[in-house]
Amino acid sequence: QQQVRQSPQSLTVWEGGTTVLTCSYEDSTFNYFPWYQQFPGEGPALLISILSVSDKKEDGRFTTFFNKREKKLSLHIIDSQPGDSATYFCAANSNYQLIWGSGTKLIIKP
Amino acid sequence: DTTVKQNPRYKLARVGKPVNLICSQTMNHDTMYWYQKKPNQAPKLLLFYYDKILNREADTFEKFQSSRPNNSFCSLYIGSAGLEYSAMYLCASSSFWGNTGQLYFGEGSKLTVL
């Protein structure tokens, strides 16, 4: 089934803490998983992505993990900052398009 | 310059009236997409152009029309708006046809149908 489930729907984390967002999927043919970040009033922008041949990709404070066996991926933000407050979408490729999760609204409290 | 622009940013429409949303990109991307985004739902792909070839999703085939007069511009047309069309409409472009190219989004056009 071509669906990507994302959780939680919303999340509040204290500044300096570690944020963990998760997604799961069913279709084993998915092999590319991007995360998009969207600030209020703006369109989503690519944050980080991972291919299914990898299990981890890091970019500064952001790390995405991929678990092929469990069909899960996650986004970890260490030392979370108020500027990280945004909505985060995970997605997975399928034929000619991306299948999107419903997003997680993240609030980082000072 | 990675810029995708959408107009209008906000649109108020009456039920039964037409709506036309415009998108432009300056990156010479061959593919342009239109998504519908409702609160707490995943973005839903409505249609996309690869060059001049229009691909529309089966479940929205009759609800949305589009044109791409040149590489830079793409429109989304609703012939008769219903309440269910109220949503954010996101335009995106990419330089790869397919599913692993980075999408560049505009700021969105928020449509409210009354």
Side-chain angles (χ1 to χ4, degrees), chain B residues 34-50:
Chain B
W34 280 101
Y35 286 88
Q36 182 189 64
K37 176 71 174 75
K38 294 185 177 182
N40 300 320
Q41 294 184 21
K44 176 181 173 59
L45 180 66
L46 300 176
L47 54 89
F48 70 93
Y49 268 98
Y50 171 63

Side-chain angles (χ1 to χ4, degrees), chain A residues 31-33 48-52 54-57 64-66:
Chain A
N31 59 13
Y32 168 71
F33 303 90
I48 191 170
S49 64
I50 190 167
L51 295 173
S52 59
S54 303
D55 56 13
K56 176 183 175 181
K57 188 172 181 182
T64 183
F65 296 90
F66 175 67

Side-chain angles (χ1 to χ4, degrees), chain B residues 8-14 18-21 87 109-113:
Chain B
R9 292 289 308 277
Y10 302 92
K11 175 69 177 177
L12 187 62
R14 296 291 181 185
V19 174
N20 197 42
L21 306 177
S109 293
K110 186 174 183 180
L111 173 63
T112 302
V113 182

Side-chain angles (χ1 to χ4, degrees), chain A residues 9 31-32 36 38 41-46 89 93-98 100-102, chain B residues 9 35 37 40-43 45 48 57 90 97-103 105-107:
Chain A
Q9 183 173 317
N31 59 13
Y32 168 71
Y36 279 75
Q38 183 179 23
E42 299 181 11
L46 181 65
F89 295 95
N93 66 335
S94 175
N95 297 322
Y96 56 86
Q97 65 167 299
L98 291 175
W100 296 79
S102 56
Chain B
R9 292 289 308 277
Y35 286 88
K37 176 71 174 75
N40 300 320
Q41 294 184 21
L45 180 66
F48 70 93
E57 292 298 286
L90 294 167
W97 182 83
N99 53 21
T100 59
Q102 179 177 348
L103 298 183
F105 283 88
E107 295 167 321

